[in-house]
Amino acid sequence: MSFLTVLYACIFYAATAMLVGGLVVKVNRYARTPAPLKIPTTPAPTTTGGVVLRMAREVALFESLFKSNKWIWLFGWLFHVSLLLVTLRHLRYFTDPVWFWVVWAQPFGKYAGFAMVAGLGGLWARRFLVDRVRYISTPSDHLMLVLLIGIGLTGLGMSFVAHTDIVAVKDFFLGLMVFDLRPLPADPVLLVHLSLVALLMVIFPISKLLHAPGIFFSPTRNQTDDSRERRHIAPWATKFDVGSGSKSE
């Protein structure tokens, strides 16, 4: 067993543990954080079904961003949809046999990489060209975009420039899933790509990218606009008399 194979196996085991553990901790913290006020962004739905529909539109179409800024919506939506197709395409490395709908996604996912990089390029350019956005942008904002663009470019490089042995790559990851280490190709572009992906997995739970699960816990989106019909009391405040501030009998 080569040192390279053992090294990257350890890297991905550690990165996966940090990703899963970090997400569990963060999501649990989101779920336990009370919402002391009724603060849905109006106009808001008045029923639970309406909230579900609103959330679906927000996740799939970025509805509020579309209403706010069409250019940011275009680049953001382009990036996220392309990322979804690319991710679906990569499922072939973790399934055997490959699911039929993953096979159907292959040609779309292959070229979606270009759209993904283009969307990221537009979002990054915005941080330089828009004064108010440039003012609030931090080094971590730029580095996160550089990381994602680097992942996209190295992935495209393997598909269209420096091809790698994808059969061996799949064998490596299938082996990782059952703790059976199998040789990993030593192609430079592949190693850079995998290193960047592992780095993304490590920093994801502590980065702004955590808005992916966080949106489902946003009280401005997941609350019904029924403050006139029902009194809202945060779970931690149920044992108190809100009117007087004293304990209820």
Side-chain angles (χ1 to χ4, degrees):
M1 189 63 61
S2 69
F3 170 77
L4 188 66
T5 297
V6 175
L7 174 63
Y8 273 82
C10 293
I11 288 175
F12 272 93
Y13 282 137
T16 301
M18 296 175 72
L19 173 65
V20 174
L23 285 177
V24 169
V25 170
K26 288 289 188 177
V27 170
N28 181 59
R29 185 177 301 171
Y30 290 158
R32 292 168 50 209
T33 300
L37 302 172
K38 269 286 186 180
I39 51 175
T41 302
T42 56
T46 58
T47 64
T48 301
V51 169
V52 172
L53 181 59
R54 181 191 197 184
M55 190 66 73
R57 294 198 308 268
E58 191 67 35
V59 171
L61 303 175
F62 300 1
E63 182 181 44
S64 61
L65 182 58
F66 180 80
K67 295 177 180 178
S68 174
N69 189 300
K70 300 298 189 293
W71 280 108
I72 300 177
W73 173 86
L74 175 63
F75 289 120
W77 194 80
L78 180 65
F79 160 63
H80 284 86
V81 171
S82 301
L83 177 62
L84 175 61
L85 290 173
V86 170
T87 302
L88 292 178
R89 181 171 185 260
H90 278 67
L91 288 177
R92 64 177 175 161
Y93 297 110
F94 303 92
T95 55
D96 188 27
V98 179
W99 301 323
F100 70 93
W101 51 271
V102 175
V103 175
W104 292 348
Q106 294 307 301
F108 303 101
K110 182 175 183 178
Y111 294 99
F114 291 102
M116 172 181 159
V117 173
L120 287 167
L123 293 174
W124 196 17
R126 159 178 166 264
R127 294 197 174 273
F128 291 103
L129 301 177
V130 181
D131 291 340
R132 60 186 178 84
V133 178
R134 182 172 64 249
Y135 179 75
I136 64 174
S137 295
T138 63
S140 65
D141 295 323
H142 294 284
L143 291 174
M144 188 62 63
L145 288 166
V146 170
L147 174 60
L148 292 170
I149 291 174
I151 291 173
L153 290 177
T154 52
L156 290 172
M158 286 186 292
S159 295
F160 297 98
V161 181
H163 298 284
T164 190
D165 186 350
I166 61 173
V167 174
V169 173
K170 177 172 181 174
D171 195 46
F172 170 76
F173 280 103
L174 288 177
L176 285 185
M177 295 170 65
V178 294
F179 302 98
D180 177 20
L181 301 191
R182 300 168 188 174
L184 176 69
D187 300 330
V189 180
L190 170 65
L191 299 181
V192 172
H193 183 72
L194 294 180
S195 297
L196 294 177
V197 170
L199 178 59
L200 177 63
M201 294 169 65
V202 170
I203 66 178
F204 186 90
I206 57 174
S207 71
K208 292 182 179 179
L209 297 178
L210 206 62
H211 65 261
I215 187 175
F216 296 99
F217 299 93
S218 172
T220 61
R221 292 287 180 269
N222 64 18
Q223 290 185 341
T224 56
D225 188 13
D226 59 354
S227 58
R228 293 177 179 83
E229 292 79 18
R230 302 177 62 183
R231 185 182 183 188
H232 175 78
I233 302 178
W236 56 266
T238 54
K239 61 181 180 179
F240 292 94
D241 184 341
V242 178
S244 63
S246 60
K247 281 190 175 183
S248 299
E249 296 298 331

